Amino acid sequence: MLDAAIQVADRGGAAAITMRRVAQELGVEAMSLYHHVPNKDAILDGVVDAVFAAIKLPSADCDDWREAIRERAYSARAVLSRHSWALGLMDSRRNPGLATLRHHNAVLGVLREAGFALPTAAHAISLIDSYISGYVLQEVNLPMTTPEDVEEVAGGILEHLPADELPYLREMIVDHALRPGYDHTNEFGYGLDLILDALEARRK
């Protein structure tokens, strides 16, 4: 049932998850779902838990806390890019499932075992998760996914850009975005490393 609800949301967003549509996905009557779940909220709780379960759990036994958090961040980005509709649900549910709780506990465990004070660990989790969510939200709405797309979009902007009025923007496009080998998806790792560097400086 949860797989069916996720498929519905992947096509139409979180708002598309209704008892009727999930039942249609399964090829059954909507009333039959009530034999398995009490209401729509239970399905929403379940799909959020399933999304968390798909994100790689970091290990508190890892010798390098940065690598553990980095791997988890890349995994979260990949999962949420496939299910971006979950971004609006993940922090809104009042009845988190076991996978969700295990996930939060594992991330907290990595930071605490690395020597972060509890308040700093809490700040770190908020900062990292906000960065991942914001990046994914931006990424899924960008009008480009490949270097060819970047060249087309940036070239189109450059064509109509008043260079005398906007010299720094022109410089960014010509000397950065349109340079051979530029890949805008690498920005995620750059930003993540900046965050991890800053957190390392406050680890105590």
Side-chain angles (χ1 to χ4, degrees):
M1 180 190 306
L2 295 181
D3 287 342
I6 288 173
Q7 290 171 13
V8 168
D10 285 344
R11 292 195 301 269
I17 301 178
T18 64
M19 301 298 273
R20 181 178 62 82
R21 288 185 180 175
V22 173
Q24 287 177 342
E25 188 74 21
L26 292 168
V28 300
E29 294 294 327
M31 290 303 295
S32 67
L33 298 185
Y34 290 98
H35 295 296
H36 305 280
V37 292
N39 49 42
K40 174 184 169 181
D41 275 338
I43 294 180
L44 294 178
D45 289 339
V47 296
V48 167
D49 208 44
V51 170
F52 269 110
I55 300 172
K56 180 177 180 175
L57 276 179
S59 172
D61 297 330
C62 181
D63 293 333
D64 185 347
W65 73 270
R66 291 173 59 117
E67 187 57 31
I69 295 298
R70 184 182 290 107
E71 286 185 11
R72 178 260 180 178
Y74 272 95
S75 177
R77 175 195 176 193
V79 171
L80 292 173
S81 292
R82 295 194 300 270
H83 311 299
S84 58
W85 51 266
L87 289 169
L89 290 178
M90 294 178 78
D91 295 322
S92 69
R93 309 312 301 162
R94 295 187 177 186
N95 299 296
L98 187 56
T100 302
L101 297 175
R102 282 176 176 162
H103 185 93
H104 292 315
N105 183 72
V107 176
L108 182 58
V110 167
L111 297 172
R112 293 290 283 137
E113 292 297 324
F116 285 89
L118 184 56
T120 309
H123 294 321
I125 291 171
S126 178
L127 175 60
I128 293 167
D129 284 358
S130 295
Y131 174 69
I132 295 168
S133 297
Y135 191 93
V136 169
L137 188 61
Q138 180 187 58
E139 192 171 37
V140 298
N141 286 289
L142 284 175
M144 51 195 181
T145 58
T146 67
E148 291 75 20
D149 292 338
V150 172
E151 185 174 345
E152 180 180 350
V153 172
I157 294 173
L158 187 63
E159 184 178 345
H160 303 288
L161 192 71
D164 293 340
E165 294 180 34
L166 308 171
Y168 301 112
L169 186 56
R170 184 183 186 284
E171 179 186 40
M172 169 69 81
I173 294 173
V174 173
D175 297 333
H176 186 66
L178 291 180
R179 290 190 65 182
Y182 172 71
D183 184 354
H184 71 285
T185 62
N186 290 333
E187 299 295 344
F188 180 78
Y190 185 87
L192 181 61
D193 282 341
L194 287 180
I195 291 172
L196 297 179
D197 288 344
L199 290 174
E200 175 63 36
R202 299 197 176 199
R203 181 161 62 106
K204 58 184 179 179

